[in-house]
Amino acid sequence: VQLQASGGGLVQAGDSLRLSCAASGRTFSGYTVGWFRQAPGKEREFVAAVRWSGGYTYYADSVKGRFTISRDNSANTVNLQMNSLIPEDAADYYCAASRRVIMSAIKISQYYDYWGQGTQVTVSS
């Protein structure tokens, strides 16, 4: 499956952004789709994930209550609604997909086999 991430941009602290991850080649059915981010000089970190089957969602503590991950069956996309953005949210955001990741490993990037290109999010204070 090929992934295309979009929606990044420059916003002010407190603003919102919506990222989208579109799949081509096949549907997301049976996949877990996650969002990760990487800021300059930092390691890639888990942000959120959704299991396509059942719609179960998972979040990093740092974004819980501010970010919402959702799936759009008709459009075969996964969206990440980011509200109340803070400067610490600034990073390149990547979507990733996996058919083999288990719940205990859902935050581990190595368990995701397909990656989209990054989309940059900049948050000014």
Side-chain angles (χ1 to χ4, degrees):
V1 61
Q2 295 178 320
L3 307 179
Q4 178 75 35
S6 62
L10 169 63
V11 297
Q12 292 186 331
D15 286 349
S16 299
L17 269 180
R18 185 179 186 231
L19 306 184
S20 292
C21 179
S24 60
R26 59 174 57 194
T27 69
F28 276 135
S29 178
Y31 284 83
T32 295
V33 181
W35 284 96
F36 292 79
R37 66 187 182 187
Q38 188 167 19
K42 294 188 177 181
E43 294 186 353
R44 188 169 296 188
E45 65 173 357
F46 171 80
V47 176
V50 60
R51 288 199 182 277
W52 198 261
S53 300
Y56 301 103
T57 58
Y58 310 84
Y59 295 95
D61 289 342
S62 59
V63 306
K64 207 171 289 185
R66 299 188 297 121
F67 291 11
T68 303
I69 190 169
S70 62
R71 55 183 180 156
D72 185 332
N73 288 345
S74 61
N76 201 35
T77 60
V78 171
N79 300 312
L80 184 68
Q81 178 66 41
M82 306 186 296
N83 298 330
S84 302
L85 284 161
I86 59 178
E88 289 76 14
D89 294 321
D92 290 327
Y93 282 70
Y94 300 86
C95 63
S98 172
R99 294 181 66 92
R100 63 186 177 100
V101 65
I102 57 177
M103 187 178 70
S104 60
I106 207 159
K107 298 180 180 181
I108 303 175
S109 61
Q110 289 85 344
Y111 283 86
Y112 291 78
D113 301 308
Y114 306 96
W115 290 82
Q117 88 293 354
T119 185
Q120 189 176 50
V121 173
T122 305
V123 184
S124 64
S125 56

